[in-house]
């Protein structure tokens, strides 16, 4: 996976799945169409879907993806080209949906405080190394370390998700 560089989209704590992907769009079943609805109801960032670019990062505080279980909340970011979610913590169900779909979430202790203090801001350029768990804000100079993606998670992501991973394991 190595290092990736992109722009930060900064969110606070307790970002629930209705803010990531509102339930009024749950009838959409094509993941490639889901990015157009991402964060449509997040106060102050309603234009996210129109402005996000492949390689941008979602940066959040504590409890990202809380609320109801929906894979749409993973797909809308994954299919927008967001390489991973950086969060201090996230809900267990969001995390499982992400890993099962081969989408990385990097847990970064202290990220909520870094957001609140302005050490990482909307639009900053970040360099993220998923294998090492490191984040460097190229604009502010902040360096922070998270939990690296585990070997098993890495294998699941490389396979394209849990089903593909299990299929590959069964054929060995």
């Amino acid at each position: 996976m190595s290092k990736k560089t992109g722009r930060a989209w900064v969110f606070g704590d307790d970002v629930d799945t209705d803010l990531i992907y509102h339930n009024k769009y749950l009838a959409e079943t094509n993941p490639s169409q889901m990015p157009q609805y991402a964060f449509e109801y997040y106060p102050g960032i309603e234009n996210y879907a129109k402005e996000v670019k492949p390689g941008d990062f979602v940066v959040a505080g504590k409890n990202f993806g809380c609320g109801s279980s929906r894979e749409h909340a993973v797909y809308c970011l994954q299919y927008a080209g967001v390489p991973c979610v950086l969060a201090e913590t996230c809900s267990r169900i969001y995390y499982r949906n992400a890993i099962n779909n081969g989408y990385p979430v990097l847990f970064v202790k202290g990220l909520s405080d870094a957001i609140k203090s302005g050490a990482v801001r909307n639009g900053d350029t970040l360099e993220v190394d998923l294998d090492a768990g490191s984040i460097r804000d190229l604009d502010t100079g902040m360096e922070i370390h998270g939990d690296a993606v585990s070997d098993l998670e890495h294998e699941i992501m490389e396979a394209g998700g849990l089903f593909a991973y299990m299929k590959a394991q069964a054929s060995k």
Side-chain angles (χ1 to χ4, degrees):
M1 282 184 241
S2 188
K3 290 183 183 177
K4 299 186 182 298
T5 303
R7 179 175 52 162
W9 286 87
V10 178
F11 300 87
D13 295 337
D14 302 313
V15 178
D16 71 37
T17 52
D18 269 338
L19 291 173
I20 301 168
Y21 191 92
H22 198 274
N23 67 15
K24 84 180 202 179
Y25 301 117
L26 291 179
E28 178 61 68
T29 59
N30 183 345
S32 67
Q33 295 300 310
M34 294 177 189
Q36 67 184 318
Y37 306 118
F39 294 110
E40 182 175 315
Y41 290 97
Y42 194 92
I45 308 183
E46 296 89 348
N47 289 328
Y48 173 88
K50 293 178 181 143
E51 297 175 11
V52 67
K53 293 185 178 20
D56 288 355
F57 295 101
V58 167
V59 181
K62 298 174 184 172
N63 204 26
F64 183 80
C66 58
S68 59
S69 170
R70 61 185 67 156
E71 289 180 322
H72 299 67
V74 172
Y75 291 147
C76 71
L77 303 179
Q78 184 178 30
Y79 281 79
V82 175
C84 69
V85 169
L86 309 171
E88 184 152 344
T89 62
C90 76
S91 75
R92 196 76 185 144
I93 193 69
Y94 185 89
Y95 175 71
R96 286 309 321 160
N97 279 333
I99 297 304
N100 289 349
N101 286 290
Y103 187 65
V105 175
L106 184 64
F107 294 111
V108 185
K109 187 174 182 168
L111 194 52
S112 182
D113 289 339
I115 291 167
K116 290 172 188 168
S117 72
V120 61
R121 304 166 306 218
N122 240 351
D124 284 357
T125 302
L126 303 181
E127 182 181 74
V128 177
D129 186 333
L130 288 171
D131 294 330
S134 64
I135 302 164
R136 192 166 63 127
D137 187 315
L138 301 178
D139 295 315
T140 67
M142 177 206 67
E143 291 189 36
I144 193 166
H145 293 276
D147 298 330
V149 175
S150 76
D151 290 341
L152 178 59
E153 291 167 337
H154 186 60
E155 289 176 32
I156 292 170
M157 286 180 262
E158 289 294 315
L162 185 60
F163 288 126
Y165 172 80
M166 296 301 288
K167 187 177 178 181
Q169 292 301 307
S171 68
K172 286 185 181 180

